Amino acid sequence: MNSNRQWTLAKRPHGMVGKDNFEYQEVPIPQPGDGQVLVRNLYLSFDPTQRGWMEDRESYLPPVGIGEVMRAGSVGQVVESRHPEFATGDLVQTTGGWQDFVVADPHTGPMGLSKLPPGVTPPMALGVLGVTGLTAYFGLLDLGMPKAGETVLVSGAAGATGSVAGQIARIRGCRVIGIAGGQEKCDWLREVAQFDDVIDYKHEQVDQRIGELCPDRVDVFFDNVGGDILQAALNHINLRARVVLCGGISGYNATELQPGPNNLMNLVVMRGRMEGFIVLDYMNRVDEAVPDLLGWINSGELIHREDIQEGFENIPDTLNRLFTGKNIGKQLLKIADPA
């Protein structure tokens, strides 16, 4: 390739993200300096949090600036190395952004730069063994603290994080109820991911169904959605329940401030705890999680699923699949095959 294709942030979104929020351009391929490597991106990760990065507001990471390459996790291949620990041809994970080439090193960006372990595919590295799998692992086990026999409720259960969180709860001996949208997702959760039951929020009354499926109430609620779903779940929390706030995708594209739950006193009455978290706080503990996740995958106890789109021109549209409910499992886009 003679140039570096990029999608940059052209304007901040108001409501649903559209292709007009981004600008396509081609620039010269960057050159690595001492201690750096040049990486060609092969796969890009798409996550709901990217919508938040587009807003001009304080968060756990700085917002993407107007004119900057859109931030995204990636797996790529080293094409030129000036770092002693990386060689041409190595498959690596970094925050490569929406572009073909990125200069990276172990100390730059939210994810730094790391080699893929032997036997780990790019989709696995960005999904079940990547940020989404780690989010499910630490959010559920560290904050949710599920105990065998308890009831765990998961919203956004067919997504990359929710599907893993629910399966980890099942592996730990819990009864697991998922909330998802549409027959295909609900069937996959029941039949493949082996959830005990699933609520279809598009066709069922969520508050009523939680009550019917959780007669002994909810001990752990792992929430990826917020809004009305969080409100409904709080109506059914058990004594000393743990509510894990992982995300709030229902409000990410809202044009007006969304009202919060009006039943927070249930936490007081039931002596419950509700806590949010960001997985970046746990990156120094990755070595704790990956052996467990990989072991469950190899034993067949943990099923992972990826939705892989293709084509550099389809990058902006792929982000919207997260917000229109088209994806099941981890949303990825393939740019190229390894050399």
Side-chain angles (χ1 to χ4, degrees):
M1 300 181 69
N2 298 318
S3 62
N4 185 23
R5 298 175 296 177
Q6 298 179 329
W7 284 102
T8 62
L9 183 61
K11 65 179 182 180
R12 304 203 181 277
H14 181 72
M16 187 69 77
V17 178
K19 201 168 184 176
D20 61 338
N21 290 112
F22 307 100
E23 181 178 358
Y24 175 84
Q25 65 180 20
E26 296 184 14
V27 299
I29 297 174
Q31 298 300 308
D34 290 340
Q36 297 179 321
V37 301
L38 177 64
V39 177
R40 183 183 182 187
N41 286 329
L42 304 176
Y43 285 81
L44 297 179
S45 173
F46 292 81
D47 304 281
T49 191
Q50 288 172 281
R51 177 61 176 79
W53 295 342
M54 298 170 68
E55 298 285 350
D56 188 12
R57 65 185 180 209
E58 185 177 353
S59 186
Y60 63 95
L61 288 177
V64 177
I66 299 298
E68 292 182 355
V69 175
M70 182 61 197
R71 182 186 297 138
S74 63
V75 164
Q77 188 169 33
V78 175
V79 294
E80 182 180 349
S81 177
R82 299 186 65 183
H83 192 290
E85 297 178 9
F86 298 88
T88 299
D90 284 346
L91 292 179
V92 294
Q93 184 171 2
T94 189
T95 309
W98 289 4
Q99 57 187 342
D100 285 307
F101 295 94
V102 61
V103 170
D105 65 66
H107 309 293
T108 300
M111 295 295 294
L113 178 72
S114 59
K115 294 181 187 179
L116 266 62
V120 175
T121 66
M124 290 172 65
L126 290 174
V128 68
L129 297 178
V131 168
T132 47
L134 297 173
T135 298
Y137 183 94
F138 289 113
L140 181 73
L141 298 182
D142 268 40
L143 276 68
M145 299 181 293
K147 303 176 185 66
E150 290 189 323
T151 296
V152 176
L153 178 68
V154 182
S155 66
T161 298
S163 61
V164 174
Q167 291 182 81
I168 294 174
R170 169 179 50 75
I171 291 167
R172 287 298 179 97
C174 298
R175 180 170 180 267
V176 184
I177 308 298
I179 304 173
Q183 191 67 43
E184 181 184 4
K185 292 182 179 181
C186 293
D187 287 347
W188 182 81
L189 288 168
R190 286 192 189 94
E191 298 167 9
V192 181
Q194 298 180 50
F195 279 48
D196 291 282
D197 217 324
V198 187
I199 300 168
D200 184 351
Y201 74 84
K202 291 185 176 181
H203 301 101
E204 297 182 280
Q205 211 289 323
V206 174
D207 195 343
Q208 176 183 329
R209 288 294 287 152
I210 295 174
E212 292 170 353
L213 293 175
C214 306
D216 296 322
R217 309 186 74 83
V218 173
D219 299 293
V220 180
F221 177 45
F222 192 100
D223 187 28
N224 295 289
V225 176
D228 292 340
I229 299 293
L230 176 57
Q231 170 98 11
L234 289 175
N235 284 335
H236 300 277
I237 57 173
N238 210 346
L239 187 67
R240 306 205 183 282
R242 288 81 70 196
V243 178
V244 181
L245 298 181
C246 180
I249 196 170
S250 67
Y252 287 170
N253 292 295
T255 57
E256 298 179 356
L257 183 64
Q258 299 296 291
N262 60 18
N263 56 352
L264 292 178
M265 279 300 295
N266 287 356
L267 291 166
V268 177
V269 173
M270 302 304 292
R271 282 82 93 196
R273 175 173 54 80
M274 184 162 67
E275 184 175 354
F277 76 107
I278 298 295
V279 72
L280 294 180
D281 297 337
Y282 293 85
M283 298 314 292
N284 63 334
R285 295 175 54 192
V286 168
D287 289 345
E288 296 177 33
V290 170
D292 282 345
L293 292 167
L294 196 55
W296 294 327
I297 293 168
N298 290 336
S299 70
E301 295 176 279
L302 177 59
I303 305 298
H304 59 96
R305 179 168 175 173
E306 295 84 26
D307 178 325
I308 303 176
Q309 302 298 298
E310 295 194 31
F312 198 91
E313 70 281 2
N314 295 320
I315 289 174
D317 290 336
T318 300
L319 178 62
N320 261 351
R321 292 177 65 84
L322 299 172
F323 304 110
T324 56
K326 292 182 179 179
N327 68 299
I328 301 180
K330 177 67 181 183
Q331 183 66 69
L332 302 171
L333 181 137
K334 178 181 175 181
I335 299 177
D337 289 308

